[in-house]
Amino acid sequence: LPGRILAMAHDAVPHVVNAVVLLMVSSLHGSFSFSFSSLHPASRSLHLPSHTPSIRKLSCFDGMRNSLRLSSMKLADDRENTTDLVNLLRDFRNGIHQEDESKLIFDAQLSSKDRALLHEACERLGLGHESFGQNEERRLSVWKIQTADRLEDIENALRIEKTAARKQWEEAMAFSEPNEMEAAGMLLLNARIQNVDVTDFGRFKWTLAEDASRKGHMTRFNVKTGSPVVLAQRSKSGQWQASQASGSFGFIISTRRGSLDVIFEVHPDQVENIENTESISLLASPDSVTYDRLLQGTRKCRNLGGDSKQILDMMFENDLDDMVLLMSETFVRLNLEQKEALNTSQQFKLEFFDSMLNQEQRDAVEKCCSPQKTSVLPIQLIHGPFGTGKTKTLVEIIRQRIKLDQRILVCAASNAAVDNLAIGLLRADPNLQLARAGLPERVDEQLSGVTLAALQKKEPSAALSKSLFQQANEELRVSEKWRRSTNGAAIRREARKESRELFRDARQLQKEAVSATLRKVRILCGTLTGFVSALQEARDDELVLFDAVIVDEASQALTAAILQTLPYVKNQTKQSVYSHLPRMILAGDHRQLPPTVLAEDRGARTVLQSTIFEELMERDGGGLGGNKAIIRLDQSEIVARAQNLVSANLSEGNLGGQLWSQTLFRQYRMPASLMAFPAASFYGGLLRPECQNAGGYSYLNCSDESETSLLLRKTCLFEAIDTAGAGFDEETVTSAAPTEGSRSSSAVLVRDFSTLNREQAELTLRIVRELVEVWNIPPHDIGVITPYNAHASLLRERMQSDACMQSIDVSTVDGFQGQEKVAIVFDSVRSNADCEVGFLSDYRRINVALTRAKRKLVVVGDSATLTSDPVWAAFWDWAAMPGSGDAESFSIAYRSYYE
């Protein structure tokens, strides 16, 4: 174990090797006596390569003590020195400095470009940063932020985000006429209440049907399962507005053609100001419940203790000294027999359930499950770029931890990711005691039998609880029925009293059913904001605690959402060789899209979009490609890397594991020609193609003569069709739609300015039709990705009129994250004289768009517009490199629209 830790420490942080040696040797001999203050000062000094800017200690600079001032050379075109400065920030964040250093001051010789890059790096590393001074005296100050301040920043950002969501909704309401609101999907008018039924915990399901005289009006109501809604009423001025009456807020649990089901806390008869209980109107509502839950969970983190506090400290405050000390203390607590067993015994060698795991996947499993291979830190990260088997690895980790008789909480940022992992677990072992928390209607049908709701119904107390809820509902209706009777008041009082008592007894029985179900569950799966409500009704505190938390899609999750899990981590009161396994395992890819944020306030956006997964990855070397991957490369360097990947001339670099992270770098989704450009641009050219078979589909019934009339080429896996000069001009349209770039089912509906390109859409439709009719690719295996909602809506509308394309998935880049298809057509939309690319300049958005295809990728775009962005410029250089279409067997093709 010491050798393993030393190897990792030497790769990641050479400056702590001496400390690790002292700690590990002392702990193994049972004579630990050590403090960091006793180290020779040289062991805490900052070591920089000889070509980096000089550094000197200042006792005072502009009134700030304990600072480091960096006298920087010009770095405008020197990426090596820029990389060194980013690494310097990482070392500063990790505490590899002289004692008591609390600030860095960069001198004014930094270029504005490099200063912007360092600001960006500070945000990823969780450092405070500020530029100050004017002109030649402008400097950059960097400092560490304490845990309490980080939590306060997160809370403030959540409040700003909640306010922004509400404000956008109110603005859309204020400037819309009722017919506009209904056409835009914001308002459902005069829906009939078809049925009311009592559900779990005494809530009511209202089944609504469309007005028979207005066929089809319900389909325009733009809501999904889980979307929040509010009862609507007319104001004195005639405008539709949200009701403020108690019980007016609900959420959609299912939608069907011509009807939908809504959960409310009350019966329609109990809602004030509803004049006609036979029909109601609804407004799509911003989701305040999720924000309130996130705020509440973040506040709880202020008072954490034990193992949960250790995780929080590693997230926000610990430097490497603290982590090494934690390692040593873990071993000190073991007795001599346990220490010797760790070094000599074969009993801790893992027997893998999945024999097909590659070496990096096995390394990740061992770091999370083997007492002999773990770093003993409370958090372990798995960097899994596209197609590298991250889900497969997590399934193995969970099964290994269950084998140790542990309870595991499995979460993700989206329902789709939770379902994907839960299905993978049950396919690997159908006998796992797994439950899926959340609305059954939002869960994949393959998991319908293991939802908490379905499992609870099997408990004896559940049937009695349902019967009591129904009786309570009947008593409630009786209380409303006798309003005009001479003794109606007494009858109503008695009925309401009886109803309350029945509801109370029914809820107690329901809680017993919940607790009985949770006692049998070893794996609880749910979204980061949804699992909490599933545990609120448990009667035993032990039932809501877990030995480990595993979060997939952690790079897409708000830090506040991951904090929700900390109060549910069990404290290890009994020391064993397994007690120092990681308590939190985060998996994701910080090179892809971060969480969606609505707030325009820059500070709030920075806090919310800077995820804890990215921060910990950057602190531990940056993952695949290291910190260099975040620095924009020359176009020629990207193209050269991509060519090397296609020709199997693979470069060496930062592969595998660091101190608290493990990188998966063998890519199985797509062949090298599809993988080459994103791998070269965003992963340092270090992703390894393992998918050799690119077959499966080919042209059908196409002679050489007929092939000339086709848009796509016979042997090409990757095709770029350049519409520059074709006159396909974009246009900006106004619509009320979910906010651009949103992945949430409860996205705020706002009056939105979006972009579309009608002529380019027609070209995209021709390509899609050819994939279906000529390549014979099933429609469900084809995806169409576009950056803008308006363009996606245009494509969907046109496809609905063509039977062969109706089942093709069309979505924005954000909506497609986490998915894959056999064939992908990416329509970039943008084409304008000003060469404006909008948010297509976000390299993470480019990465997602180009990495969804398994066998065929077609990119349609205007190179004249897109090449104003350096990454897109490299893309077109790569697509049009010499010889791309010369050989029939070549897998990459570039053509202009005219060709």
Side-chain angles (χ1 to χ4, degrees), residues 178-402:
N179 59 336
E180 292 178 336
M181 294 168 64
E182 192 172 19
M186 298 174 64
L187 175 65
L188 174 63
L189 281 175
N190 301 325
R192 291 187 302 107
I193 300 180
Q194 194 173 56
N195 186 47
V196 178
D197 194 14
V198 67
T199 64
D200 293 341
F201 298 103
R203 296 178 299 189
F204 292 88
K205 180 178 76 174
W206 302 12
T207 300
L208 307 180
E210 66 181 8
D211 185 346
S213 64
R214 303 170 63 232
K215 283 283 187 183
H217 76 102
M218 185 171 277
T219 59
R220 293 195 293 270
F221 193 38
N222 196 352
V223 292
K224 302 177 182 178
T225 302
S227 296
V229 293
V230 60
L231 293 173
Q233 62 183 47
R234 281 189 180 275
S235 64
K236 293 181 180 179
S237 62
Q239 291 279 7
W240 284 97
Q241 62 183 21
S243 170
Q244 300 301 313
S246 175
S248 297
F249 288 87
F251 58 91
I252 306 292
I253 61 166
S254 66
T255 59
R256 299 173 297 281
R257 180 177 289 276
S259 69
L260 54 83
D261 294 329
V262 192
I263 291 291
F264 285 97
E265 293 292 332
V266 297
H267 191 278
D269 293 336
Q270 294 177 283
V271 182
E272 299 175 5
N273 301 325
I274 290 187
E275 298 175 1
N276 179 8
T277 56
E278 293 181 359
S279 69
I280 60 168
S281 297
L282 294 177
L283 284 167
S285 171
D287 184 5
S288 60
V289 174
T290 296
Y291 293 122
D292 291 340
R293 191 173 289 164
L294 291 173
L295 281 165
Q296 184 180 12
T298 304
R299 282 193 291 268
K300 282 183 180 179
C301 290
R302 293 180 179 276
N303 301 312
L304 291 176
D307 293 4
S308 297
K309 180 66 163 57
Q310 275 191 356
I311 296 173
L312 185 66
D313 286 343
M314 180 173 172
M315 284 182 175
F316 291 150
E317 197 157 312
N318 285 354
D319 58 26
L320 290 181
D321 286 354
D322 299 321
M323 295 182 189
V324 172
L325 185 59
L326 178 62
M327 293 178 188
S328 68
E329 289 175 342
T330 301
F331 290 105
V332 169
R333 288 194 294 265
L334 298 178
N335 59 44
L336 187 58
E337 182 180 345
Q338 291 171 327
K339 292 171 187 174
E340 290 176 351
L342 280 174
N343 280 307
T344 60
S345 177
Q346 292 295 308
Q347 65 175 309
F348 303 113
K349 186 176 181 180
L350 290 185
E351 294 182 5
F352 292 96
F353 293 103
D354 187 347
S355 61
M356 301 302 292
L357 295 175
N358 65 37
Q359 187 56 54
E360 297 74 45
Q361 292 167 340
R362 287 174 176 244
D363 289 343
V365 174
E366 288 180 330
K367 287 182 179 181
C368 296
C369 305
S370 170
Q372 292 178 315
K373 299 296 180 70
T374 181
S375 70
V376 309
L377 295 173
I379 304 177
Q380 177 69 38
L381 272 63
I382 299 173
H383 180 205
F386 61 93
T388 53
K390 174 167 56 69
T391 300
K392 185 178 183 180
T393 305
L394 290 177
V395 166
E396 180 73 22
I397 289 169
I398 294 166
R399 294 180 72 189
Q400 292 287 349
R401 296 294 286 259
I402 291 298

Side-chain angles (χ1 to χ4, degrees), residues 801-818:
S801 61
D802 192 326
C804 77
M805 295 193 289
Q806 287 178 354
S807 60
I808 288 174
D809 193 357
V810 181
S811 188
T812 61
V813 180
D814 302 71
F816 238 100
Q817 179 149 301

Side-chain angles (χ1 to χ4, degrees), residues 124-144:
R124 282 192 296 272
L125 289 164
L127 290 167
H129 55 102
E130 180 184 25
S131 287
F132 61 96
Q134 298 295 325
N135 302 325
E136 293 81 7
E137 296 301 316
R138 191 154 183 79
R139 292 175 170 82
L140 172 63
S141 175
V142 178
W143 64 93
K144 297 179 184 178

Side-chain angles (χ1 to χ4, degrees), residues 562-800:
I562 292 179
L563 292 178
Q564 305 297 300
T565 64
L566 295 189
Y568 301 93
V569 175
K570 183 190 297 183
N571 282 325
Q572 296 283 3
T573 55
K574 199 165 147 190
Q575 287 303 314
S576 75
V577 293
Y578 295 107
S579 61
H580 58 272
L581 293 178
R583 312 304 305 285
M584 175 174 280
I585 299 164
L586 306 179
D589 181 10
H590 53 302
R591 308 295 187 214
Q592 298 195 32
L593 287 172
T596 301
V597 176
L598 302 175
E600 296 179 0
D601 181 271
R602 189 180 183 282
R605 290 186 68 85
T606 297
V607 169
L608 295 177
Q609 287 193 323
S610 300
T611 66
I612 195 61
F613 181 88
E614 181 176 35
E615 180 178 333
L616 289 170
M617 281 303 307
E618 294 297 340
R619 289 181 61 189
D620 200 31
L624 197 61
N627 294 104
K628 273 192 174 183
I630 66 174
I631 298 172
R632 295 293 173 85
L633 301 168
D634 285 345
Q635 293 164 219
S636 60
E637 189 170 348
I638 293 177
V639 173
R641 283 182 176 180
Q643 288 174 319
N644 288 337
L645 285 167
V646 172
S647 62
N649 182 16
L650 304 177
S651 59
E652 295 298 324
N654 173 24
L655 299 177
Q658 292 290 310
L659 192 57
W660 57 79
S661 64
Q662 174 68 38
T663 295
L664 310 178
F665 57 82
R666 301 181 194 276
Q667 187 278 130
Y668 299 90
R669 176 180 295 172
M670 61 185 70
S673 53
L674 297 187
M675 182 203 78
F677 181 78
S681 302
F682 316 123
Y683 301 99
L686 300 176
L687 208 55
R688 298 289 185 259
E690 297 287 337
C691 177
Q692 303 299 333
N693 178 21
Y697 296 98
S698 61
Y699 281 116
L700 301 179
N701 304 320
C702 291
S703 66
D704 292 339
E705 293 77 17
S706 63
E707 237 180 79
T708 59
S709 64
L710 296 174
L711 293 171
L712 305 178
R713 293 194 173 182
K714 186 172 183 178
T715 58
C716 289
L717 305 177
F718 164 49
E719 300 196 50
I721 299 178
D722 188 355
T723 62
F728 293 173
D729 294 332
E730 68 184 54
E731 57 184 285
T732 301
V733 295
T734 305
S735 64
T739 46
E740 204 81 78
S742 175
R743 300 187 291 276
S744 171
S745 64
S746 55
V748 179
L749 291 169
V750 299
R751 184 179 290 273
D752 181 43
F753 293 93
S754 190
T755 305
L756 56 78
N757 190 323
R758 298 182 191 278
E759 290 85 359
Q760 195 159 295
E762 291 302 317
L763 177 59
T764 297
L765 291 168
R766 285 180 61 194
I767 292 169
V768 172
R769 188 178 292 109
E770 190 172 301
L771 288 171
V772 175
E773 296 178 348
V774 181
W775 281 62
N776 200 32
I777 300 179
H780 65 266
D781 280 338
I782 299 172
V784 180
I785 306 178
T786 180
Y788 294 95
N789 284 317
H791 198 74
S793 297
L794 173 64
L795 289 170
R796 286 192 206 100
E797 184 180 328
R798 297 281 284 105
M799 287 182 181
Q800 286 306 305

